Amino acid sequence: MDLVLVRLQPTTISFFGQIPGTTTMPGMFPNMFPLATGQFGALPVMPVQAMTQQATRHARRVYVGGLPPTANEQSVATFFSQVMAAIGGNTAGPGDAVVNVYINHEKKFAFVEMRSVEEASNAMALDGIIFEGAPVKVRRPSDYNPSLAATLGPSLPNPNLNLAAVGLTPGSAGGLEGPDRIFVGGLPYYFTEAQIKELLESFGPLRGFDLVKDRETGNSKGYAFCVYQDLSVTDIACAALNGIKMGDKTLTVRRANQGANQPKPEQESVLLHAQQQIALQRFMLLQQPGAATSKVVCLTQVVSADELRDDEEYEDIMEDMKQEGEKFGPLVRVVIPRPRPDGEPMPGVGKVFLEYVEVEGASKARAGLNGRKFGGNQVVAVFYPENKFAQGEYDD
């Protein structure tokens, strides 16, 4: 592994053991103060400041992943120092927040070392920030010790950081750090934020929630993070939700930083009740409009309005969609709303509707097309109410 270290604020080294910034009084010898010389007899003694830095290092480092190929130590250090100043995240006084950068060019990640534990915690709010044209991941490193770090300084970002100054949404990550952060994966793409939160809140109110979305399309990526207000329900929620079937998906729910813990014996009765509640909640979610089975499937992120204006291109798209749809069962018709010639808004533009003879064909199409890539876009396929489709209402 090709790790490169750059030290941006080197420690001043003095001669004869003299402490930088001090003077020796006339008639006194430097070795009258053995602690100042960094020596005690023949045994070297690590300076107190260096000992403190070493002890807090795991809590002052930040993992930054997904770096572009052009990134280097200096550009990473300069960027994060400037961003920390912009959001008001510097708490250790004037100067740059970043003191060291370790970068792995081959795997495109870096460890960014901050001056203080509090500044490292504030940097956690920068997850997803755009660096040299690419969004980067900002996480705790694998050697981060949450329980030990809690004794060294704040573990969560300051809720008053001005994230809007750097194009981030205030509060998006503030409640989503720490050992009780939960990863929720395997979410059906058609589930809305409200539906997912309703499911999670079966165990209690959330302190933080973030459904991860594609930056370009705004569509769900199928996973989320959350933290409960009552941290004691974390393991119960993970155990109850993990492995549950949601439509054609299976949920993966665990602590984000660790493997899922087993619930304690006194939690077993609570877990049993929670699992019963989840079974009911899952049934209710799958019966909501847009998720209930239907003979009509609606596809989004397939075509753009510009592609539909040209008659010849429109016919090609119509034929392609018909051929693709028939792979899952016999079709009644394919409807692709087009933009109006006068430029007036037309409901449903950008969507493709596939009406099948049987629900079975529609179910296969939704499962087979959802998440597929067309023209570089990830398709979202959902059931569409048959009565609305029959009436020509395409704006759901």
Side-chain angles (χ1 to χ4, degrees):
M1 183 171 62
D2 181 23
L3 285 178
V4 179
L5 163 66
V6 84
R7 180 172 295 276
L8 302 176
Q9 292 183 353
T11 304
T12 303
I13 300 174
S14 59
F15 293 97
F16 304 109
Q18 185 177 337
I19 300 176
T22 65
T23 57
T24 304
M25 295 178 62
M28 296 183 66
F29 298 94
N31 61 3
M32 288 183 66
F33 299 94
L35 289 180
T37 68
Q39 293 184 345
F40 188 83
L43 298 176
V45 177
M46 184 179 292
V48 175
Q49 183 181 5
M51 292 175 64
T52 303
Q53 288 180 343
Q54 186 65 27
T56 62
R57 186 165 174 266
H58 74 96
R60 291 187 295 105
R61 288 201 313 162
V62 174
Y63 167 86
V64 180
L67 292 173
T70 55
N72 58 52
E73 293 81 2
Q74 190 61 52
S75 65
V76 170
T78 301
F79 175 80
F80 278 92
S81 288
Q82 290 176 346
V83 167
M84 287 290 289
I87 66 173
N90 289 1
T91 58
D96 293 337
V98 178
V99 293
N100 288 327
V101 174
Y102 302 78
I103 193 166
N104 184 311
H105 293 283
E106 182 182 354
K107 296 187 177 180
K108 300 177 183 178
F109 73 84
F111 292 116
V112 179
E113 186 175 340
M114 301 292 178
R115 292 179 299 183
S116 69
V117 173
E118 186 174 1
E119 288 178 341
S121 293
N122 286 342
M124 290 296 99
L126 299 174
D127 185 34
I129 193 167
I130 303 297
F131 171 68
E132 295 186 359
V136 294
K137 298 177 182 178
V138 180
R139 302 280 194 273
R140 297 289 190 182
S142 58
D143 65 347
Y144 178 71
N145 187 324
S147 57
L148 179 58
T151 67
L152 301 174
S155 299
L156 299 176
N158 187 319
N160 298 318
L161 294 175
N162 183 19
L163 298 179
V166 292
L168 294 175
T169 303
S172 61
L176 290 172
E177 270 303 319
D180 295 289
R181 180 176 182 241
I182 296 175
F183 168 80
V184 185
L187 293 167
Y189 295 107
Y190 52 83
F191 270 21
T192 64
E193 288 192 32
Q195 289 175 319
I196 299 167
K197 290 179 71 173
E198 186 177 356
L199 177 66
L200 296 171
E201 287 175 343
S202 300
F203 301 95
L206 298 172
R207 186 178 75 197
F209 173 80
D210 180 26
L211 176 61
V212 180
K213 299 179 180 180
D214 186 280
R215 283 184 169 273
E216 294 182 359
T217 66
N219 295 324
S220 166
K221 285 191 171 183
Y223 64 95
F225 295 93
C226 73
V227 175
Y228 285 96
Q229 288 186 12
D230 180 1
L231 301 181
S232 67
V233 307
T234 300
D235 291 328
I236 297 175
C238 290
L241 290 169
N242 189 53
I244 281 183
K245 293 282 186 181
M246 284 287 179
D248 58 344
K249 300 280 188 177
T250 301
L251 295 187
T252 299
V253 184
R254 56 175 172 74
R255 288 177 181 263
N257 298 332
Q258 304 162 353
N261 296 334
Q262 294 297 318
K264 298 175 182 178
E266 62 268 22
Q267 296 175 331
E268 290 294 341
S269 61
V270 180
L271 175 58
L272 178 60
H273 175 71
Q275 288 174 328
Q276 294 171 346
Q277 288 295 107
I278 287 298
L280 176 62
Q281 191 69 35
R282 178 182 59 178
F283 174 79
M284 295 301 293
L285 277 174
L286 295 177
Q287 298 307 310
Q288 292 188 24
T293 56
S294 165
K295 293 179 183 179
V296 181
V297 176
C298 174
L299 309 179
T300 57
Q301 310 304 322
V302 182
V303 294
S304 66
D306 290 339
E307 294 173 322
L308 301 174
R309 289 191 172 91
D310 182 81
D311 291 339
E312 187 173 342
E313 192 168 2
Y314 178 81
E315 291 301 326
D316 289 342
I317 293 172
M318 180 70 77
E319 184 62 28
D320 289 343
M321 289 296 102
K322 184 174 182 294
Q323 291 179 3
E324 191 66 32
E326 286 176 339
K327 294 178 182 178
F328 303 97
L331 283 166
V332 177
R333 57 176 170 155
V334 177
V335 175
I336 306 179
R338 299 183 69 180
R340 295 180 185 272
D342 58 7
E344 288 296 314
M346 174 66 182
V349 172
K351 298 178 181 179
V352 174
F353 296 90
L354 305 175
E355 183 182 14
Y356 285 85
V357 175
E358 302 290 344
V359 171
E360 182 182 3
S363 297
K364 290 180 179 179
R366 188 184 68 80
L369 295 173
N370 191 56
R372 287 265 302 274
K373 288 287 183 97
F374 281 91
N377 296 323
Q378 189 173 51
V379 176
V380 177
V382 298
F383 290 122
Y384 196 81
E386 293 177 25
N387 59 335
K388 296 192 69 172
F389 179 75
Q391 295 170 11
E393 298 178 14
Y394 305 134
D395 57 348
D396 185 37

